Amino acid sequence: LQWLRNPGPQHEKRTLFGDMVCFLFITPLATISGWLCLRGAVDHLHFSSRLEAVGLIALTVALFTIYLFWTLVSFRYHCRLYNEWRRTSQRVILLIPKSANIPSNQQSLLGLQSLKRNSKETIV
C-alpha cells in the first residue's frame, strides 16, 4: 500500500490499475469463450464434421495460451517493478530511546537529528 501512496511513479500505477481491470474483464470472457468452443467441438464431433471440431479445439488452445502468456508477462512486469521499488525506496530511521546513561548534550543532538528527517522516511 505504501507503493500506491508514493507520489512518484504515476505511469506505473496507471499500468497496474489498467492491467487489473483487464484481468477482471478478460478472465470471465476467456473462460466462457473456451467453454463455448469446447462445447461446440463436442457437438461437432457427435453430429457434424471432425474438421470443425478440431478447429474449435485449436481455437480454444490458442485462446488459453494467449491468455496465460498475457497473465504471466503482466504479473512478472509488476513484480519486477515492485521489487525494484522495494530495493530503491527503503528509508529507515532508528530512534534511540532516551536513557540515563547518555549525557544530556548527546540526547539533545539525537533529538535534533530526528527532527531533520524527511517525511518519506519510515520510523522504526
Side-chain angles (χ1 to χ4, degrees):
L1 292 177
Q2 187 180 6
W3 178 75
L4 292 174
R5 288 185 216 146
N6 188 3
Q10 293 298 324
H11 172 72
E12 295 166 2
K13 290 177 198 171
R14 281 193 302 265
T15 304
L16 176 64
F17 180 72
D19 283 348
M20 286 183 353
V21 169
C22 288
F23 182 78
L24 290 175
F25 282 115
I26 290 174
T27 299
L29 290 175
T31 304
I32 292 169
S33 298
W35 181 78
L36 288 173
C37 285
L38 289 178
R39 185 71 187 150
V42 169
D43 289 344
H44 280 291
L45 281 175
H46 285 56
F47 303 112
S48 200
S49 70
R50 291 184 186 262
L51 184 60
E52 290 176 3
V54 170
L56 286 171
I57 292 171
L59 180 63
T60 304
V61 169
L63 175 72
F64 282 118
T65 302
I66 292 168
Y67 172 76
L68 287 175
F69 179 74
W70 174 80
T71 303
L72 291 174
V73 168
S74 179
F75 184 74
R76 183 174 176 247
Y77 171 75
H78 292 294
C79 285
R80 186 180 54 82
L81 285 179
Y82 174 72
N83 287 332
E84 182 179 325
W85 173 83
R86 243 180 61 194
R87 185 176 43 83
T88 60
S89 298
Q90 294 301 313
R91 295 184 181 152
V92 177
I93 296 175
L94 180 61
L95 295 178
I96 301 172
K98 293 183 180 182
S99 164
N101 297 337
I102 301 175
S104 62
N105 62 351
Q106 288 181 353
Q107 284 182 357
S108 63
L109 288 175
L110 288 172
L112 287 175
Q113 289 174 351
S114 66
L115 291 175
K116 293 180 182 179
R117 70 177 184 267
N118 191 344
S119 63
K120 295 179 183 178
E121 295 171 339
T122 303
I123 297 174
V124 177

